[in-house]
Amino acid sequence: MNATLINRSLSLIIGTIHIGCAASQHGFNQGFLFYSIVIIALVCMIWFGDAIGEFSGYFIGHSVVNTQTPGWMVCFMGWLFLVGTPVVVYLIQ
């Protein structure tokens, strides 16, 4: 199996579990907030890490990113965000 397919499948399963737990424990509003965080982590960082890593440029005239980031590093940070968010939420409560 392709590593990208495994990465995407696992992240989708974990994200779905997070959404279900958040919606069942905290109601729709908190579930939706958590849903948006999970979607950002899944789609942007894990699924398209290579494309995001290639970004370098300017934002409103100021240099934001002046070098490219390796795609594996963006994907790793996405996983850290996806797995670390529930831990932080649990510790805050």
Side-chain angles (χ1 to χ4, degrees), residues 59-75:
F59 180 71
I60 309 175
H62 296 76
S63 177
V64 175
V65 180
N66 53 9
T67 59
Q68 294 181 350
T69 306
W72 66 266
M73 193 176 293
V74 175
C75 186

Side-chain angles (χ1 to χ4, degrees), residues 14-75:
I14 292 172
T16 304
I17 292 170
H18 287 329
I19 293 166
C21 290
S24 68
Q25 291 180 356
H26 302 289
F28 179 74
N29 290 336
Q30 288 287 356
F32 185 75
L33 176 64
F34 196 77
Y35 173 76
S36 63
I37 293 171
V38 169
I39 290 300
I40 290 170
L42 280 174
V43 174
C44 293
M45 298 180 83
I46 295 173
W47 286 39
F48 302 110
D50 292 330
I52 292 174
E54 292 176 3
F55 173 77
S56 63
Y58 296 91
F59 180 71
I60 309 175
H62 296 76
S63 177
V64 175
V65 180
N66 53 9
T67 59
Q68 294 181 350
T69 306
W72 66 266
M73 193 176 293
V74 175
C75 186

